[in-house]
Amino acid sequence: MALIKDEAVAIRRLDYSETSQVLAFFTREHGKQRLIAKGIKRGTKSRFATGIDLLERGSLVFSRKEESDGGLGVLTEWRQEDVFSGLRREFRWMVAGQYMAEAVDLTTEENDAAPRLYDELVRSFVALPNRDAPVLIEFQRALLIEIGLMPDLSRCVGCGRAWSGKSSPFFSAREGGLICHECEAPLVEKRRVDPSILLGLRGDRIGIEVAGEAFDLLDYHLTESLGRTLKTSPYVRQFLLGGASQVRS
Ligand SMILES: [Zn+2]
């Protein structure tokens, strides 16, 4: 069985027992991998004696899944490289990190390499304690671009007319972008967007003052596109964006 070396972030815990741990990893070169780490709690004889935490980064060696192994690959080595201790200092940054991990998990396929997205995830974990909520929205945007679902925020996707930058247009996830006032009437799935949010999302760096609404817009788009809600969304609203107003003042 060929062994593969890579680096990865643990993005989801699938199962945990006395003798093994099953985790979804987002690897840099081999995309998402569901791996079983056998003997994780076997103490001193085990290389996984302390277990693996969510949102930690490490270098790993694994073999791809075999039919006989319940559709799981096997993790044979894990060397912890970074626990992102900055991220762990505040609960709301952990919540933001968990949202990113969940979004990656829901939007990527196993074995589908996305190294740019991986690098973005790692960069975001490092940047969160310094720049707070805007980092999450910039990650949402980078994710949507990477998976080809970034909505068009520059023109009406109905008639193609460029948005003036002043009026409050509508936004439709299903249509994939802005909808002008002349095109909106027949559409059921739509919501109004404030110009400041759109201008904010166009910039390189997102300002903290639009973070809450910009998150809502991109989270709404992701939810509609995936047909499911991210479990961590309410926690982001409650803890990260609730906390953003304190940062602002
Ligand atoms: Zn239009």
Side-chain angles (χ1 to χ4, degrees):
M1 202 168 9
L3 291 174
I4 301 164
K5 272 188 173 179
D6 204 337
E7 64 164 272
V9 171
I11 56 170
R12 187 156 62 100
R13 189 172 285 138
L14 296 152
D15 194 20
Y16 193 79
S17 72
E18 282 296 304
T19 53
S20 63
Q21 191 175 10
V22 182
L23 291 152
F25 292 91
F26 186 42
T27 72
R28 188 174 191 280
E29 306 292 340
H30 301 84
K32 192 167 63 180
Q33 299 286 335
R34 291 184 305 135
L35 304 175
I36 183 163
K38 286 176 184 163
I40 196 155
K41 291 177 85 183
R42 265 184 222 147
T44 52
K45 273 188 175 176
S46 170
R47 277 173 290 193
F48 312 111
T50 57
I52 298 164
D53 277 334
L54 280 184
L55 312 187
E56 76 174 53
R57 184 175 71 82
S59 52
L60 79 177
V61 178
F62 67 97
S63 59
R64 284 186 212 267
K65 64 184 174 194
E66 300 275 308
E67 289 307 315
S68 58
D69 215 352
L72 294 170
V74 178
L75 180 69
T76 58
E77 273 183 56
W78 175 262
R79 199 174 71 225
Q80 186 188 78
E81 303 280 2
D82 196 347
V83 293
F84 305 105
S85 51
L87 193 73
R88 285 167 214 274
R89 277 210 315 271
E90 294 247 4
F91 181 65
R92 65 178 204 279
W93 297 331
M94 276 303 279
V95 163
Q98 280 164 7
Y99 179 95
M100 294 179 199
E102 186 183 8
V104 165
D105 189 29
L106 291 179
T107 56
T108 61
E109 299 291 329
E110 278 194 76
N111 299 312
D112 226 349
R116 267 191 317 225
L117 185 60
Y118 176 86
D119 292 342
E120 194 64 38
L121 183 69
V122 172
R123 252 201 312 273
S124 302
F125 284 178
V126 174
L128 260 168
N130 301 320
R131 295 185 45 234
D132 206 72
V135 174
L136 176 58
I137 293 91
E138 287 162 19
F139 180 79
Q140 284 177 304
R141 186 176 58 182
L143 175 90
L144 288 166
I145 291 169
E146 184 66 30
I147 62 177
L149 279 181
M150 185 62 194
D152 190 340
L153 302 179
S154 66
R155 66 194 69 251
C156 169
V157 291
C159 65
R161 201 177 309 157
W163 173 57
S164 66
K166 291 178 187 119
S167 60
S168 289
F170 286 84
F171 174 85
S172 168
R174 215 163 300 162
E175 301 299 319
L178 299 184
I179 297 288
C180 74
H181 288 258
E182 274 145 64
C183 298
E184 61 95 4
L187 296 177
V188 178
E189 182 274 298
K190 65 191 168 194
R191 59 190 276 169
R192 254 210 148 99
V193 205
D194 192 90
S196 64
I197 311 307
L198 299 172
L199 294 171
L201 279 169
R202 280 185 182 186
D204 202 27
R205 287 196 160 197
I206 312 253
I208 191 108
E209 65 286 350
V210 297
E213 286 169 279
F215 171 81
D216 276 342
L217 183 68
L218 297 186
D219 182 64
Y220 166 78
H221 183 61
L222 205 50
T223 300
E224 290 288 322
S225 305
L226 295 171
R228 59 192 289 184
T229 313
L230 277 78
K231 285 189 211 126
T232 45
S233 291
Y235 298 100
V236 167
R237 291 196 177 88
Q238 187 179 347
F239 296 102
L240 181 75
L241 300 170
S245 57
Q246 294 161 15
V247 173
R248 211 183 306 167
S249 58

PDB file of all heavy atoms in Angstrom, residues 108-136:
ATOM      1  N   THR A 108     -15.665  20.930  -0.457  1.00  0.00           N
ATOM      2  CA  THR A 108     -14.596  20.235  -1.188  1.00  0.00           C
ATOM      3  C   THR A 108     -14.839  18.718  -1.180  1.00  0.00           C
ATOM      4  O   THR A 108     -15.491  18.192  -0.284  1.00  0.00           O
ATOM      5  CB  THR A 108     -13.202  20.512  -0.582  1.00  0.00           C
ATOM      6  OG1 THR A 108     -13.188  20.047   0.775  1.00  0.00           O
ATOM      7  CG2 THR A 108     -12.868  21.991  -0.596  1.00  0.00           C
ATOM      8  N   GLU A 109     -14.313  18.077  -2.206  1.00  0.00           N
ATOM      9  CA  GLU A 109     -14.467  16.626  -2.336  1.00  0.00           C
ATOM     10  C   GLU A 109     -13.182  15.941  -1.882  1.00  0.00           C
ATOM     11  O   GLU A 109     -12.100  16.532  -1.943  1.00  0.00           O
ATOM     12  CB  GLU A 109     -14.702  16.258  -3.809  1.00  0.00           C
ATOM     13  CG  GLU A 109     -15.954  16.857  -4.420  1.00  0.00           C
ATOM     14  CD  GLU A 109     -17.230  16.253  -3.837  1.00  0.00           C
ATOM     15  OE1 GLU A 109     -17.194  15.066  -3.455  1.00  0.00           O
ATOM     16  OE2 GLU A 109     -18.235  16.979  -3.758  1.00  0.00           O
ATOM     17  N   GLU A 110     -13.302  14.689  -1.504  1.00  0.00           N
ATOM     18  CA  GLU A 110     -12.108  13.923  -1.150  1.00  0.00           C
ATOM     19  C   GLU A 110     -11.186  13.798  -2.356  1.00  0.00           C
ATOM     20  O   GLU A 110     -11.665  13.658  -3.491  1.00  0.00           O
ATOM     21  CB  GLU A 110     -12.493  12.539  -0.627  1.00  0.00           C
ATOM     22  CG  GLU A 110     -12.881  12.596   0.851  1.00  0.00           C
ATOM     23  CD  GLU A 110     -12.952  11.224   1.507  1.00  0.00           C
ATOM     24  OE1 GLU A 110     -11.890  10.663   1.801  1.00  0.00           O
ATOM     25  OE2 GLU A 110     -14.077  10.749   1.720  1.00  0.00           O
ATOM     26  N   ASN A 111      -9.902  13.868  -2.101  1.00  0.00           N
ATOM     27  CA  ASN A 111      -8.858  13.738  -3.140  1.00  0.00           C
ATOM     28  C   ASN A 111      -8.786  14.910  -4.111  1.00  0.00           C
ATOM     29  O   ASN A 111      -8.044  14.866  -5.086  1.00  0.00           O
ATOM     30  CB  ASN A 111      -9.026  12.443  -3.956  1.00  0.00           C
ATOM     31  CG  ASN A 111      -8.926  11.210  -3.085  1.00  0.00           C
ATOM     32  OD1 ASN A 111      -8.007  11.096  -2.281  1.00  0.00           O
ATOM     33  ND2 ASN A 111      -9.877  10.309  -3.225  1.00  0.00           N
ATOM     34  N   ASP A 112      -9.581  15.944  -3.866  1.00  0.00           N
ATOM     35  CA  ASP A 112      -9.597  17.104  -4.753  1.00  0.00           C
ATOM     36  C   ASP A 112      -8.652  18.172  -4.182  1.00  0.00           C
ATOM     37  O   ASP A 112      -9.029  18.907  -3.286  1.00  0.00           O
ATOM     38  CB  ASP A 112     -11.030  17.656  -4.813  1.00  0.00           C
ATOM     39  CG  ASP A 112     -11.436  17.937  -6.238  1.00  0.00           C
ATOM     40  OD1 ASP A 112     -10.552  17.893  -7.113  1.00  0.00           O
ATOM     41  OD2 ASP A 112     -12.625  18.209  -6.458  1.00  0.00           O
ATOM     42  N   ALA A 113      -7.443  18.231  -4.719  1.00  0.00           N
ATOM     43  CA  ALA A 113      -6.450  19.145  -4.153  1.00  0.00           C
ATOM     44  C   ALA A 113      -6.826  20.603  -4.398  1.00  0.00           C
ATOM     45  O   ALA A 113      -7.256  20.967  -5.480  1.00  0.00           O
ATOM     46  CB  ALA A 113      -5.081  18.856  -4.761  1.00  0.00           C
ATOM     47  N   ALA A 114      -6.686  21.420  -3.370  1.00  0.00           N
ATOM     48  CA  ALA A 114      -6.945  22.854  -3.492  1.00  0.00           C
ATOM     49  C   ALA A 114      -5.895  23.585  -2.643  1.00  0.00           C
ATOM     50  O   ALA A 114      -6.216  24.154  -1.598  1.00  0.00           O
ATOM     51  CB  ALA A 114      -8.363  23.177  -3.022  1.00  0.00           C
ATOM     52  N   PRO A 115      -4.633  23.557  -3.095  1.00  0.00           N
ATOM     53  CA  PRO A 115      -3.549  24.120  -2.263  1.00  0.00           C
ATOM     54  C   PRO A 115      -3.705  25.603  -1.947  1.00  0.00           C
ATOM     55  O   PRO A 115      -3.341  26.037  -0.857  1.00  0.00           O
ATOM     56  CB  PRO A 115      -2.283  23.855  -3.092  1.00  0.00           C
ATOM     57  CG  PRO A 115      -2.736  23.456  -4.442  1.00  0.00           C
ATOM     58  CD  PRO A 115      -4.125  22.926  -4.324  1.00  0.00           C
ATOM     59  N   ARG A 116      -4.275  26.371  -2.881  1.00  0.00           N
ATOM     60  CA  ARG A 116      -4.473  27.810  -2.594  1.00  0.00           C
ATOM     61  C   ARG A 116      -5.449  28.000  -1.448  1.00  0.00           C
ATOM     62  O   ARG A 116      -5.271  28.854  -0.591  1.00  0.00           O
ATOM     63  CB  ARG A 116      -5.005  28.526  -3.838  1.00  0.00           C
ATOM     64  CG  ARG A 116      -3.911  29.134  -4.701  1.00  0.00           C
ATOM     65  CD  ARG A 116      -4.539  30.018  -5.732  1.00  0.00           C
ATOM     66  NE  ARG A 116      -5.712  29.338  -6.294  1.00  0.00           N
ATOM     67  CZ  ARG A 116      -6.001  29.275  -7.590  1.00  0.00           C
ATOM     68  NH1 ARG A 116      -5.227  29.851  -8.451  1.00  0.00           N
ATOM     69  NH2 ARG A 116      -7.089  28.645  -8.020  1.00  0.00           N
ATOM     70  N   LEU A 117      -6.511  27.197  -1.459  1.00  0.00           N
ATOM     71  CA  LEU A 117      -7.509  27.285  -0.389  1.00  0.00           C
ATOM     72  C   LEU A 117      -6.903  26.828   0.943  1.00  0.00           C
ATOM     73  O   LEU A 117      -7.164  27.415   1.992  1.00  0.00           O
ATOM     74  CB  LEU A 117      -8.726  26.425  -0.746  1.00  0.00           C
ATOM     75  CG  LEU A 117      -9.919  26.502   0.209  1.00  0.00           C
ATOM     76  CD1 LEU A 117     -10.451  27.924   0.312  1.00  0.00           C
ATOM     77  CD2 LEU A 117     -11.031  25.554  -0.236  1.00  0.00           C
ATOM     78  N   TYR A 118      -6.076  25.804   0.875  1.00  0.00           N
ATOM     79  CA  TYR A 118      -5.384  25.328   2.076  1.00  0.00           C
ATOM     80  C   TYR A 118      -4.512  26.442   2.663  1.00  0.00           C
ATOM     81  O   TYR A 118      -4.565  26.727   3.865  1.00  0.00           O
ATOM     82  CB  TYR A 118      -4.535  24.095   1.739  1.00  0.00           C
ATOM     83  CG  TYR A 118      -3.714  23.618   2.909  1.00  0.00           C
ATOM     84  CD1 TYR A 118      -4.238  22.747   3.848  1.00  0.00           C
ATOM     85  CD2 TYR A 118      -2.408  24.084   3.088  1.00  0.00           C
ATOM     86  CE1 TYR A 118      -3.490  22.346   4.946  1.00  0.00           C
ATOM     87  CE2 TYR A 118      -1.657  23.683   4.177  1.00  0.00           C
ATOM     88  CZ  TYR A 118      -2.202  22.820   5.108  1.00  0.00           C
ATOM     89  OH  TYR A 118      -1.458  22.441   6.194  1.00  0.00           O
ATOM     90  N   ASP A 119      -3.730  27.084   1.801  1.00  0.00           N
ATOM     91  CA  ASP A 119      -2.850  28.162   2.276  1.00  0.00           C
ATOM     92  C   ASP A 119      -3.667  29.315   2.869  1.00  0.00           C
ATOM     93  O   ASP A 119      -3.276  29.926   3.856  1.00  0.00           O
ATOM     94  CB  ASP A 119      -1.972  28.685   1.124  1.00  0.00           C
ATOM     95  CG  ASP A 119      -0.963  27.638   0.666  1.00  0.00           C
ATOM     96  OD1 ASP A 119      -0.704  26.680   1.421  1.00  0.00           O
ATOM     97  OD2 ASP A 119      -0.435  27.769  -0.458  1.00  0.00           O
ATOM     98  N   GLU A 120      -4.796  29.587   2.247  1.00  0.00           N
ATOM     99  CA  GLU A 120      -5.682  30.646   2.721  1.00  0.00           C
ATOM    100  C   GLU A 120      -6.226  30.303   4.119  1.00  0.00           C
ATOM    101  O   GLU A 120      -6.318  31.169   4.984  1.00  0.00           O
ATOM    102  CB  GLU A 120      -6.841  30.808   1.720  1.00  0.00           C
ATOM    103  CG  GLU A 120      -7.663  32.061   1.883  1.00  0.00           C
ATOM    104  CD  GLU A 120      -6.887  33.341   1.641  1.00  0.00           C
ATOM    105  OE1 GLU A 120      -6.033  33.351   0.732  1.00  0.00           O
ATOM    106  OE2 GLU A 120      -7.142  34.322   2.360  1.00  0.00           O
ATOM    107  N   LEU A 121      -6.577  29.044   4.301  1.00  0.00           N
ATOM    108  CA  LEU A 121      -7.095  28.591   5.598  1.00  0.00           C
ATOM    109  C   LEU A 121      -6.034  28.783   6.692  1.00  0.00           C
ATOM    110  O   LEU A 121      -6.318  29.346   7.755  1.00  0.00           O
ATOM    111  CB  LEU A 121      -7.505  27.114   5.506  1.00  0.00           C
ATOM    112  CG  LEU A 121      -8.132  26.501   6.762  1.00  0.00           C
ATOM    113  CD1 LEU A 121      -9.522  27.084   7.022  1.00  0.00           C
ATOM    114  CD2 LEU A 121      -8.235  24.974   6.636  1.00  0.00           C
ATOM    115  N   VAL A 122      -4.827  28.363   6.401  1.00  0.00           N
ATOM    116  CA  VAL A 122      -3.741  28.482   7.390  1.00  0.00           C
ATOM    117  C   VAL A 122      -3.437  29.953   7.672  1.00  0.00           C
ATOM    118  O   VAL A 122      -3.302  30.366   8.833  1.00  0.00           O
ATOM    119  CB  VAL A 122      -2.483  27.723   6.896  1.00  0.00           C
ATOM    120  CG1 VAL A 122      -1.294  27.993   7.802  1.00  0.00           C
ATOM    121  CG2 VAL A 122      -2.766  26.221   6.816  1.00  0.00           C
ATOM    122  N   ARG A 123      -3.358  30.750   6.603  1.00  0.00           N
ATOM    123  CA  ARG A 123      -3.120  32.197   6.776  1.00  0.00           C
ATOM    124  C   ARG A 123      -4.205  32.843   7.631  1.00  0.00           C
ATOM    125  O   ARG A 123      -3.935  33.686   8.483  1.00  0.00           O
ATOM    126  CB  ARG A 123      -3.134  32.887   5.396  1.00  0.00           C
ATOM    127  CG  ARG A 123      -1.775  33.341   4.914  1.00  0.00           C
ATOM    128  CD  ARG A 123      -1.877  34.425   3.848  1.00  0.00           C
ATOM    129  NE  ARG A 123      -2.823  34.129   2.773  1.00  0.00           N
ATOM    130  CZ  ARG A 123      -2.520  33.433   1.678  1.00  0.00           C
ATOM    131  NH1 ARG A 123      -1.322  32.946   1.513  1.00  0.00           N
ATOM    132  NH2 ARG A 123      -3.414  33.219   0.745  1.00  0.00           N
ATOM    133  N   SER A 124      -5.443  32.429   7.393  1.00  0.00           N
ATOM    134  CA  SER A 124      -6.566  33.008   8.136  1.00  0.00           C
ATOM    135  C   SER A 124      -6.508  32.654   9.615  1.00  0.00           C
ATOM    136  O   SER A 124      -6.822  33.483  10.464  1.00  0.00           O
ATOM    137  CB  SER A 124      -7.895  32.525   7.546  1.00  0.00           C
ATOM    138  OG  SER A 124      -7.979  32.880   6.189  1.00  0.00           O
ATOM    139  N   PHE A 125      -6.125  31.425   9.927  1.00  0.00           N
ATOM    140  CA  PHE A 125      -5.999  31.018  11.338  1.00  0.00           C
ATOM    141  C   PHE A 125      -4.966  31.904  12.053  1.00  0.00           C
ATOM    142  O   PHE A 125      -5.137  32.275  13.197  1.00  0.00           O
ATOM    143  CB  PHE A 125      -5.557  29.559  11.452  1.00  0.00           C
ATOM    144  CG  PHE A 125      -6.652  28.557  11.175  1.00  0.00           C
ATOM    145  CD1 PHE A 125      -6.390  27.195  11.210  1.00  0.00           C
ATOM    146  CD2 PHE A 125      -7.951  28.967  10.890  1.00  0.00           C
ATOM    147  CE1 PHE A 125      -7.392  26.254  10.965  1.00  0.00           C
ATOM    148  CE2 PHE A 125      -8.958  28.040  10.643  1.00  0.00           C
ATOM    149  CZ  PHE A 125      -8.671  26.680  10.683  1.00  0.00           C
ATOM    150  N   VAL A 126      -3.900  32.216  11.338  1.00  0.00           N
ATOM    151  CA  VAL A 126      -2.847  33.046  11.925  1.00  0.00           C
ATOM    152  C   VAL A 126      -3.313  34.496  12.065  1.00  0.00           C
ATOM    153  O   VAL A 126      -3.015  35.173  13.045  1.00  0.00           O
ATOM    154  CB  VAL A 126      -1.555  32.961  11.074  1.00  0.00           C
ATOM    155  CG1 VAL A 126      -0.495  33.933  11.572  1.00  0.00           C
ATOM    156  CG2 VAL A 126      -1.014  31.530  11.064  1.00  0.00           C
ATOM    157  N   ALA A 127      -4.079  34.976  11.077  1.00  0.00           N
ATOM    158  CA  ALA A 127      -4.467  36.391  11.041  1.00  0.00           C
ATOM    159  C   ALA A 127      -5.638  36.735  11.965  1.00  0.00           C
ATOM    160  O   ALA A 127      -5.773  37.879  12.393  1.00  0.00           O
ATOM    161  CB  ALA A 127      -4.819  36.786   9.603  1.00  0.00           C
ATOM    162  N   LEU A 128      -6.481  35.752  12.280  1.00  0.00           N
ATOM    163  CA  LEU A 128      -7.689  36.038  13.081  1.00  0.00           C
ATOM    164  C   LEU A 128      -7.425  36.799  14.380  1.00  0.00           C
ATOM    165  O   LEU A 128      -8.110  37.786  14.659  1.00  0.00           O
ATOM    166  CB  LEU A 128      -8.433  34.737  13.386  1.00  0.00           C
ATOM    167  CG  LEU A 128      -9.643  34.429  12.503  1.00  0.00           C
ATOM    168  CD1 LEU A 128     -10.082  32.982  12.719  1.00  0.00           C
ATOM    169  CD2 LEU A 128     -10.814  35.367  12.778  1.00  0.00           C
ATOM    170  N   PRO A 129      -6.456  36.393  15.183  1.00  0.00           N
ATOM    171  CA  PRO A 129      -6.226  37.120  16.432  1.00  0.00           C
ATOM    172  C   PRO A 129      -5.748  38.560  16.211  1.00  0.00           C
ATOM    173  O   PRO A 129      -5.892  39.394  17.097  1.00  0.00           O
ATOM    174  CB  PRO A 129      -5.124  36.306  17.136  1.00  0.00           C
ATOM    175  CG  PRO A 129      -5.167  34.967  16.491  1.00  0.00           C
ATOM    176  CD  PRO A 129      -5.605  35.205  15.083  1.00  0.00           C
ATOM    177  N   ASN A 130      -5.210  38.854  15.041  1.00  0.00           N
ATOM    178  CA  ASN A 130      -4.743  40.218  14.786  1.00  0.00           C
ATOM    179  C   ASN A 130      -5.830  41.101  14.193  1.00  0.00           C
ATOM    180  O   ASN A 130      -5.928  42.270  14.528  1.00  0.00           O
ATOM    181  CB  ASN A 130      -3.549  40.201  13.821  1.00  0.00           C
ATOM    182  CG  ASN A 130      -2.396  39.386  14.381  1.00  0.00           C
ATOM    183  OD1 ASN A 130      -2.125  39.454  15.572  1.00  0.00           O
ATOM    184  ND2 ASN A 130      -1.763  38.608  13.542  1.00  0.00           N
ATOM    185  N   ARG A 131      -6.630  40.531  13.289  1.00  0.00           N
ATOM    186  CA  ARG A 131      -7.567  41.390  12.553  1.00  0.00           C
ATOM    187  C   ARG A 131      -9.020  41.025  12.790  1.00  0.00           C
ATOM    188  O   ARG A 131      -9.925  41.624  12.200  1.00  0.00           O
ATOM    189  CB  ARG A 131      -7.218  41.372  11.073  1.00  0.00           C
ATOM    190  CG  ARG A 131      -5.831  42.006  10.796  1.00  0.00           C
ATOM    191  CD  ARG A 131      -5.554  42.093   9.311  1.00  0.00           C
ATOM    192  NE  ARG A 131      -6.703  42.595   8.594  1.00  0.00           N
ATOM    193  CZ  ARG A 131      -7.276  41.957   7.556  1.00  0.00           C
ATOM    194  NH1 ARG A 131      -6.790  40.838   7.113  1.00  0.00           N
ATOM    195  NH2 ARG A 131      -8.335  42.467   6.976  1.00  0.00           N
ATOM    196  N   ASP A 132      -9.283  40.019  13.589  1.00  0.00           N
ATOM    197  CA  ASP A 132     -10.639  39.662  14.000  1.00  0.00           C
ATOM    198  C   ASP A 132     -11.573  39.350  12.819  1.00  0.00           C
ATOM    199  O   ASP A 132     -11.139  38.785  11.814  1.00  0.00           O
ATOM    200  CB  ASP A 132     -11.201  40.779  14.896  1.00  0.00           C
ATOM    201  CG  ASP A 132     -12.274  40.285  15.856  1.00  0.00           C
ATOM    202  OD1 ASP A 132     -11.925  39.573  16.815  1.00  0.00           O
ATOM    203  OD2 ASP A 132     -13.451  40.579  15.634  1.00  0.00           O
ATOM    204  N   ALA A 133     -12.842  39.734  12.951  1.00  0.00           N
ATOM    205  CA  ALA A 133     -13.911  39.292  12.045  1.00  0.00           C
ATOM    206  C   ALA A 133     -13.629  39.458  10.541  1.00  0.00           C
ATOM    207  O   ALA A 133     -14.005  38.582   9.761  1.00  0.00           O
ATOM    208  CB  ALA A 133     -15.216  39.987  12.424  1.00  0.00           C
ATOM    209  N   PRO A 134     -13.000  40.565  10.101  1.00  0.00           N
ATOM    210  CA  PRO A 134     -12.795  40.709   8.647  1.00  0.00           C
ATOM    211  C   PRO A 134     -12.067  39.519   8.014  1.00  0.00           C
ATOM    212  O   PRO A 134     -12.298  39.191   6.852  1.00  0.00           O
ATOM    213  CB  PRO A 134     -11.953  41.985   8.541  1.00  0.00           C
ATOM    214  CG  PRO A 134     -12.387  42.803   9.716  1.00  0.00           C
ATOM    215  CD  PRO A 134     -12.609  41.793  10.818  1.00  0.00           C
ATOM    216  N   VAL A 135     -11.220  38.860   8.787  1.00  0.00           N
ATOM    217  CA  VAL A 135     -10.478  37.707   8.261  1.00  0.00           C
ATOM    218  C   VAL A 135     -11.444  36.600   7.818  1.00  0.00           C
ATOM    219  O   VAL A 135     -11.236  35.948   6.790  1.00  0.00           O
ATOM    220  CB  VAL A 135      -9.495  37.167   9.324  1.00  0.00           C
ATOM    221  CG1 VAL A 135      -8.813  35.895   8.858  1.00  0.00           C
ATOM    222  CG2 VAL A 135      -8.462  38.228   9.672  1.00  0.00           C
ATOM    223  N   LEU A 136     -12.506  36.421   8.590  1.00  0.00           N
ATOM    224  CA  LEU A 136     -13.477  35.377   8.248  1.00  0.00           C
ATOM    225  C   LEU A 136     -14.193  35.705   6.932  1.00  0.00           C
ATOM    226  O   LEU A 136     -14.385  34.840   6.083  1.00  0.00           O
ATOM    227  CB  LEU A 136     -14.506  35.190   9.372  1.00  0.00           C
ATOM    228  CG  LEU A 136     -15.629  34.185   9.079  1.00  0.00           C
ATOM    229  CD1 LEU A 136     -15.080  32.795   8.765  1.00  0.00           C
ATOM    230  CD2 LEU A 136     -16.612  34.090  10.241  1.00  0.00           C
TER     231      LEU A 136
END
